[in-house]
Amino acid sequence: MTDRDDESPPHALLENTPSALVLKVGVFLHLTAPEIEALDALDTREFGLAKGQDLAVEGDDIRSTYVVIEGWLGRYRMLEDGRRQIISFALPGDILNLDGALVTDYVYSVMALTDTVVCAVAAEAVIEVTQEHPRLGAAISWMGARERTLLAEQIVRVGRRSAYERVAHLILELLYRLHLVHEAEKRSYELPLTQEVLGDSLGLSLVHVNRTLRRLRKEGLVRLEGNSLSIDDVDRLAEIAEFDPAYLRHEHIPDAAEKAINDPT
Amino acid sequence: MTDRDDESPPHALLENTPSALVLKVGVFLHLTAPEIEALDALDTREFGLAKGQDLAVEGDDIRSTYVVIEGWLGRYRMLEDGRRQIISFALPGDILNLDGALVTDYVYSVMALTDTVVCAVAAEAVIEVTQEHPRLGAAISWMGARERTLLAEQIVRVGRRSAYERVAHLILELLYRLHLVHEAEKRSYELPLTQEVLGDSLGLSLVHVNRTLRRLRKEGLVRLEGNSLSIDDVDRLAEIAEFDPAYLRHEHIPDAAEKAINDPT
DNA sequence: GTCCCGCCTTGACCTGTGTTAAGGTATTGA
DNA sequence: TCAATACCTTAACACAGGTCAAGGCGGGAC
């Protein structure tokens, strides 16, 4: 399928599968020993999905949280006549269905957009852990907030930007997000998405995505060979897209918040 | 301005201002006495905003959470050339900036779309409370999850629905949301939004919103007199919009989750 | 009263993006 | 070797929705 499997770089953050959750949460918060222990004690199950397979479909009542170990997934909604809207992408290191136990059933579906490996954790167990380790609860709220920011940005992208701006903006968002998990070079990365998938994310038709990419190529802004995307002029692209990475910079809980978490009055 | 002030129904859920937060959270979770006490002990400050005033603007570093007591607000983003995208509406009873302490600064602005009254709570204090009362932390995660669902729905609306469907869909979403806080009749409610605001939410131009509303009126689906919106045929409208209220039905934390919260192993 | 301003309404025209259709090039598998 | 499949590419045409322009109405401010 894609050739990610062979050549993807080692997962700096995710090498030790059983503690994927620890590693992920640890990015946000300095974990204490008991916290790490509690997370490690969670029952996890790692498994793979082939490209095109659904992790969950609308209406499912699956109470699991997933950490993406490898590959890309997409949350999407199908309309009756076949239109599809991809709501968000989940990249390696992302967490899907973070508060699975809090949501009665899937309102969306989740599909593997490439061959993927995910790690499942029982969602109820996650909640229980937060009851004994409230700092972890705060970390989860924090991740949820970050996800909301991504969704808001997607709304702006799809609602008020032109096709040209949308594509440019998404390309940059992915660059920055992949950087955070060491899956991108300075200005290039593997983009394992078909133009149809891009269109369904950006609210555009396949054909128009193609036209738009052609334009970006002609203007010397990006190069795209196979799945390899490289950006020739990041600054100009950012200007076109009015892209400000501020919304992606939240790698760690702000100090003030961590202080509040650590010294409850 | 709008005439909401005079005729809006009594706020069943929100009469006692100082404990707006208690009432709000209480909708999701059966609160214990100490929890209620802790929430009530939070420093709150109630104040009003005139229509058009910003509660916060992009770049602000305001560490407050707000409960909307009365009126409508909108989170939005401006693009440099004046385009505006409204990301979400906050209705009476909604909470804005729930995890304020977790976000370094506003990436969006929030504007009062009508005259409003909000109640501010120091965001750090909210986090501190969750550290001592983890069940409240779970409630917050839960509210965050619900907000994400609304955002996802907005993405589908704007990304893949036609103008006609978008307007119909939003009208129904607002009906259901207002129902939850007793601000709507069975099939009608006060819609204090200009067509420009509707357009900025739906990713449409003012003119096209007008055209679309005209069409909905002509087809006998809705009536709109002043700010009073009434839906003549809810079922047909729902069919047109492919509207399924499932995503709004989360008034209370699911049993399984509440159980997990109450009996951590 | 009357001027102004915010908002709604409508028409005419334009354009960005969708649709349809056709062909190209890898890759896979029999 | 040859289909079959999945994806990309391009062109021609159609249309949903944007833009521009003009006017109407109602309520405040003076």
Side-chain angles (χ1 to χ4, degrees):
Chain A
M1 299 282 152
T2 70
D3 42 12
R4 295 197 65 274
D5 310 285
D6 323 309
E7 49 170 83
S8 58
H11 300 287
L13 293 175
L14 301 167
E15 237 143 19
N16 184 8
T17 303
S19 54
L21 212 50
V22 171
L23 290 163
K24 178 65 183 170
V25 177
V27 173
F28 296 107
L29 201 63
H30 301 111
L31 296 175
T32 65
E35 283 165 356
I36 291 176
E37 216 172 296
L39 285 177
D40 267 334
L42 286 172
D43 247 351
T44 62
R45 192 168 65 88
E46 187 179 327
F47 63 95
L49 275 87
K51 178 182 192 171
Q53 247 186 301
D54 275 315
L55 174 60
V57 301
E58 203 173 325
D60 276 10
D61 183 12
I62 299 177
R63 299 284 172 69
S64 280
T65 293
Y66 303 93
V67 185
V68 181
I69 307 295
E70 196 180 319
W72 293 30
L73 299 99
R75 284 172 62 220
Y76 68 96
R77 154 76 60 74
M78 294 298 306
L79 298 184
E80 278 163 19
D81 64 357
R83 283 174 289 179
R84 175 174 69 165
Q85 176 63 47
I86 294 179
I87 291 155
S88 63
F89 294 117
L91 312 185
D94 283 341
I95 294 193
L96 270 165
N97 200 20
L98 190 57
D99 18 46
L102 298 175
V103 179
T104 17
D105 49 18
Y106 269 60
V107 193
Y108 311 100
S109 309
V110 179
M111 176 186 282
L113 300 171
T114 68
D115 292 346
T116 60
V117 178
V118 301
C119 175
V121 189
E124 260 100 18
V126 173
I127 296 210
E128 284 171 9
V129 166
T130 66
Q131 297 306 297
E132 291 194 42
H133 303 275
R135 277 170 28 106
L136 297 178
I140 284 184
S141 286
W142 163 241
M143 292 185 230
R146 187 173 187 277
E147 202 178 315
R148 281 202 293 288
T149 304
L150 289 178
L151 294 175
E153 209 59 38
Q154 164 82 332
I155 289 170
V156 176
R157 191 157 52 209
V158 169
R160 279 301 185 207
R161 294 191 211 266
S162 70
Y164 186 55
E165 295 164 335
R166 279 182 220 184
V167 174
H169 195 275
L170 178 60
I171 285 174
L172 287 169
E173 175 176 309
L174 291 173
L175 174 67
Y176 278 76
R177 286 177 64 187
L178 290 169
H179 265 307
L180 291 177
V181 290
H182 309 290
E183 295 256 352
E185 308 296 321
K186 187 144 180 55
R187 33 184 73 216
S188 66
Y189 55 89
E190 291 299 303
L191 179 70
L193 305 179
T194 67
Q195 297 183 356
E196 186 180 8
V197 167
L198 286 173
D200 285 344
S201 161
L202 295 171
L204 297 172
S205 69
L206 184 167
V207 176
H208 202 63
V209 169
N210 187 286
R211 283 198 276 252
T212 307
L213 285 172
R214 192 201 319 174
R215 181 173 165 201
L216 287 170
R217 249 189 261 117
K218 270 197 187 130
E219 294 177 347
L221 293 165
V222 307
R223 248 169 310 156
L224 192 46
E225 287 138 7
N227 285 337
S228 283
L229 175 79
S230 58
I231 304 173
D232 289 317
D233 191 337
V234 174
D235 291 345
R236 230 184 103 220
L237 202 63
E239 204 178 327
I240 288 166
E242 212 172 301
F243 177 84
D244 176 357
Y247 72 99
L248 293 170
R249 282 222 185 95
H250 313 311
E251 261 199 286
H252 196 278
I253 291 192
D255 289 343
E258 182 150 12
K259 196 160 159 295
I261 293 171
N262 292 327
D263 321 318
T265 29
Chain B
M1 298 280 151
T2 69
D3 41 13
R4 296 197 64 271
D5 310 285
D6 324 311
E7 49 171 81
S8 59
H11 301 287
L13 293 175
L14 300 167
E15 236 142 18
N16 183 8
T17 304
S19 55
L21 211 50
V22 171
L23 290 164
K24 178 65 183 172
V25 176
V27 173
F28 296 106
L29 201 64
H30 301 111
L31 296 175
T32 65
E35 283 164 354
I36 291 175
E37 215 172 296
L39 284 177
D40 266 336
L42 286 173
D43 246 351
T44 62
R45 192 169 66 88
E46 188 179 326
F47 61 95
L49 276 85
K51 177 183 194 170
Q53 247 186 302
D54 276 316
L55 175 61
V57 301
E58 202 173 324
D60 275 11
D61 183 12
I62 299 177
R63 298 286 174 66
S64 280
T65 292
Y66 303 92
V67 185
V68 181
I69 307 295
E70 194 180 321
W72 293 31
L73 298 100
R75 284 172 64 221
Y76 68 95
R77 154 76 60 76
M78 295 297 305
L79 299 184
E80 277 164 18
D81 64 357
R83 282 175 290 178
R84 175 174 69 165
Q85 176 64 47
I86 294 179
I87 292 156
S88 63
F89 294 117
L91 311 186
D94 283 341
I95 294 192
L96 270 165
N97 200 19
L98 190 58
D99 18 46
L102 297 175
V103 179
T104 16
D105 50 18
Y106 269 60
V107 193
Y108 311 100
S109 308
V110 179
M111 176 186 283
L113 299 171
T114 68
D115 292 345
T116 60
V117 179
V118 301
C119 175
V121 189
E124 260 101 17
V126 173
I127 296 208
E128 284 171 8
V129 167
T130 65
Q131 296 307 296
E132 290 194 42
H133 302 276
R135 278 169 27 106
L136 298 179
I140 286 184
S141 286
W142 164 242
M143 293 186 228
R146 187 173 186 276
E147 202 179 315
R148 281 202 292 288
T149 304
L150 289 178
L151 294 176
E153 209 59 38
Q154 164 80 333
I155 289 169
V156 177
R157 191 157 53 209
V158 169
R160 279 301 185 208
R161 293 191 210 266
S162 69
Y164 186 55
E165 296 164 334
R166 280 182 219 183
V167 173
H169 196 274
L170 178 59
I171 285 174
L172 287 168
E173 175 176 310
L174 291 173
L175 175 67
Y176 278 76
R177 286 178 63 188
L178 289 169
H179 266 308
L180 291 178
V181 290
H182 310 289
E183 296 257 351
E185 309 295 322
K186 188 146 180 52
R187 33 184 73 217
S188 66
Y189 55 88
E190 291 298 302
L191 179 69
L193 305 179
T194 66
Q195 297 183 355
E196 186 180 8
V197 167
L198 286 172
D200 286 344
S201 161
L202 296 172
L204 297 172
S205 70
L206 185 168
V207 175
H208 202 64
V209 169
N210 187 286
R211 283 197 275 252
T212 307
L213 285 172
R214 193 201 319 175
R215 182 172 164 201
L216 287 169
R217 248 189 261 116
K218 270 199 187 128
E219 295 177 346
L221 293 165
V222 307
R223 248 169 310 156
L224 191 48
E225 286 138 6
N227 284 337
S228 282
L229 175 81
S230 59
I231 304 172
D232 289 317
D233 191 336
V234 174
D235 291 346
R236 232 184 102 220
L237 202 62
E239 205 177 326
I240 287 166
E242 211 171 302
F243 177 84
D244 176 357
Y247 73 101
L248 293 170
R249 282 220 186 95
H250 312 312
E251 262 200 286
H252 197 278
I253 290 193
D255 289 342
E258 183 150 12
K259 195 159 160 294
I261 292 171
N262 293 327
D263 321 317
T265 30

